[in-house]
Amino acid sequence: MGLAACLICAGSAAAQAQASVSPTEAALDAVRAVRIVRPGEVVPGTPADLNASITVRYGLAKPNAVLLLMPGFLGGAGSFDRLARQIVALDPGMAVWAVDRRSNLLESGAAIAAADPAELVRIVQQGIPARPASSVTFMKDWGLDTTLRDWREAVREARTLTPNVFIGGHSLGGTLTGLYAGYDFGNTPFGAAPTPDDQIGFKDVRGLIMLDGAPGNTTSDPISWNQYQNGGVGRLGYVPGINRLDEIPYVNSVIFNPTYASRAVAQARLAATDPGALAPAGGLVSYAATNLAAGLSQLERQYALLPFLTLRTGQATNAAVISNPLPRLLGAAENSQFVLGPADRSRPVGWQTDADAMTDPLDFVRRFSNPVSDYAEWYFPMRLSVDVGAAQLDTVGTPFAATLRVWHTRAVSTPILGIAAQNGITTENDYRRYAAFTRATVTTHTLPGASHLDITVAKSDQVARWTLDWMRGITGPATAAQPTPPPTL
């Protein structure tokens, strides 16, 4: 018995020592990942095959705990590929289920996956034509209620596997996490009858995780009932009201649209396979650049147009630049730079990886598109943006309470973990302000040096470790990787 006890202690110590070492890239790539499409909320008018709840599942099929992660604005399940693998590699008892919203089923990703290099060049230059708005008018009903109910189908399935179910999200996904917690999934009108516990969002889960996004912080500006119905101008331009969603069912702007999204995926594939080659002329940039530079200059913090679409990987080389004030006008702490083209026109703009950068550029473009998911959501439902702008923290006492059932935020008592990016769009105080609106306890961290997107794609596994440590504090050691049992004596 004494020998058995020693072997158990040795096994536990070995498991802890292993967990203290960051997983290798090979270990991350070895994590099992499978895409699962299940029936979702039935929305009248939507084709039956699009009423779907979609998750990309990393790790064991029968885990000790499940963390379901919702992506941000314009994001797909692929945005969690590295973080999900880090969490599972650090703790094989964990599973991470990354959500793809139902609109991801409208994408033409298979065409890009099957494309040869010549076809990828064509797609970078021309893109895959977007579906006409008239063919997807049913998206007008893909708002907050549909999104949360699709998510809940996956949550309820996870609860059949383990009682240790957590939800979380990045950016807008963090906002949706809080809205899920306060949501009433019943069918009775507001105030008609008390809601049973099993119909209140936060009763489904053991904790909420918000990654550089929180309710009331990353949503659009609060909107009035008239704006909700008829539209108005927000920080990023005109936002239609629900009366115009037949005409504008998905985000379709000069900054982002489905055709542009397909071009970005194709450029990422070229950057992953041949980073130093010349990017297609007439592609994502108007000047001569390498594949890696053409892809990353859209998102790199010092060059990006939008403060919520930034990461830190390195910098352009051989680049002539001018100051760009647009990000600061949209809430960034500083101006960015606009790349005009090569400083020496005999050579293309290249890319230099910074040793101290948060994210590895080659790893980022390699994971941008993979067999089970991709980083972007090509057809982001405009209704979801409008609904989130209306819901804010909750809808009690507002005209939106009848249809947006965020009625229980003040009662939320499940613990909250909030992780901010130092150069992102939230602070630890944002999480504390949200928690003060609830009855929940909150734990906060800030990831030093990180921009908004780095928090899910960084080389460091710090976010994964904070997440696992916090979850174990709620569930106990059951979610930790179990040591190999000692031999029978």
Side-chain angles (χ1 to χ4, degrees):
M1 291 181 63
L3 177 58
C6 290
L7 288 169
I8 291 172
C9 291
S12 298
Q16 291 174 4
Q18 184 178 16
S20 68
V21 177
S22 294
T24 65
E25 296 303 308
L28 297 184
D29 290 342
V31 170
R32 171 183 177 272
V34 59
R35 182 179 179 85
I36 302 292
V37 180
R38 299 273 197 248
E41 176 71 5
V42 175
V43 179
T46 292
D49 61 330
L50 298 179
N51 286 319
S53 173
I54 312 160
T55 49
V56 176
R57 303 182 181 183
Y58 297 85
L60 296 174
K62 185 75 170 70
N64 294 324
V66 178
L67 169 59
L68 295 100
L69 290 175
M70 174 70 68
F73 181 58
L74 309 179
S79 60
F80 293 114
D81 188 70
R82 184 173 181 85
L83 176 62
R85 292 175 184 276
Q86 287 173 329
I87 290 172
V88 175
L90 286 167
D91 185 346
M94 272 289 300
V96 177
W97 294 7
V99 173
D100 253 349
R101 290 179 282 265
R102 61 171 59 193
S103 53
N104 289 85
L105 294 175
L106 299 173
E107 297 175 7
S108 304
I112 297 178
D116 60 21
E119 178 64 5
L120 288 175
V121 168
R122 189 199 66 78
I123 295 173
V124 170
Q125 293 170 327
Q126 302 174 21
I128 295 175
R131 295 172 183 262
S134 60
S135 71
V136 290
T137 55
F138 48 80
M139 289 183 71
K140 69 182 185 297
D141 296 317
W142 292 4
L144 182 65
D145 188 73
T146 299
T147 300
L148 296 186
R149 290 181 188 274
D150 284 348
W151 195 5
R152 190 170 189 243
E153 289 301 318
V155 169
R156 294 172 75 180
E157 182 183 353
R159 282 169 56 88
T160 68
L161 304 176
T162 174
N164 297 319
V165 176
F166 297 77
I167 60 171
H170 172 245
S171 192
L172 177 68
T175 296
L176 293 172
T177 297
L179 297 180
Y180 183 108
Y183 210 73
D184 190 303
F185 289 97
N187 295 304
T188 58
F190 180 72
T195 303
D197 280 357
D198 64 358
Q199 298 299 312
I200 299 174
F202 74 91
K203 301 287 188 176
D204 286 343
V205 297
R206 301 203 64 185
L208 314 174
I209 298 174
M210 301 176 185
L211 306 175
D212 213 42
N217 173 266
T218 53
T219 64
S220 59
D221 295 323
I223 61 177
S224 67
W225 179 253
N226 181 62
Q227 289 172 317
Y228 183 73
Q229 296 290 325
N230 302 309
V233 178
R235 283 174 286 184
L236 297 178
Y238 176 75
V239 177
I242 61 173
N243 292 333
R244 289 201 62 196
L245 293 180
D246 280 349
E247 306 166 51
I248 313 174
Y250 53 78
V251 172
N252 187 15
S253 70
V254 295
I255 296 174
F256 184 90
N257 55 63
T259 299
Y260 180 86
S262 68
R263 296 170 68 196
V265 174
Q267 182 61 70
R269 285 202 60 202
L270 289 175
T273 55
D274 201 352
L278 197 63
L284 295 189
V285 295
S286 59
Y287 47 82
T290 65
N291 279 322
L292 193 58
L296 290 175
S297 60
Q298 313 299 305
L299 299 174
E300 182 65 31
R301 179 180 159 202
Q302 59 183 314
Y303 310 117
L305 291 176
L306 301 174
F308 57 84
L309 292 177
T310 61
L311 45 68
R312 279 286 292 114
T313 70
Q315 57 187 310
T317 59
N318 188 37
V321 299
I322 59 173
S323 179
N324 177 17
L326 180 59
R328 193 164 189 176
L329 294 175
L330 294 174
E334 56 191 16
N335 291 345
S336 71
Q337 295 178 317
F338 184 78
V339 179
L340 297 173
D344 175 357
R345 295 187 177 276
S346 68
R347 298 181 292 116
V349 173
W351 200 259
Q352 173 184 301
T353 303
D354 288 348
D356 62 347
M358 292 297 299
T359 296
D360 180 274
L362 289 174
D363 183 76
F364 177 77
V365 295
R366 181 170 70 89
R367 296 185 189 279
F368 197 91
S369 176
N370 60 66
V372 291
S373 59
D374 69 50
Y375 194 95
E377 180 177 8
W378 301 14
Y379 293 87
F380 187 90
M382 191 64 80
R383 177 62 180 266
L384 182 55
S385 286
V386 176
D387 281 356
V388 171
Q392 295 298 303
L393 292 175
D394 73 9
T395 59
V396 176
T398 76
F400 308 112
T403 54
L404 303 178
R405 303 168 65 91
V406 191
W407 300 345
H408 305 288
T409 305
R410 293 182 186 276
V412 170
S413 57
T414 47
I416 300 166
L417 172 65
I419 302 177
Q422 182 181 15
N423 301 305
I425 61 174
T426 63
T427 67
E428 294 185 42
N429 281 336
D430 291 320
Y431 298 122
R432 296 185 189 111
R433 279 193 291 269
Y434 168 69
F437 195 79
T438 73
R439 298 191 304 167
T441 58
V442 62
T443 302
T444 61
H445 299 284
T446 297
L447 187 63
S451 290
H452 183 55
L453 302 183
D454 290 315
I455 208 158
T456 65
V457 298
K459 294 177 287 186
S460 164
D461 58 14
Q462 181 63 76
V463 172
R465 290 178 182 278
W466 280 332
T467 299
L468 286 169
D469 288 347
W470 177 80
M471 292 173 67
R472 289 168 184 155
I474 295 170
T475 65
T479 62
Q482 299 301 306
T484 302
T488 302
L489 300 180

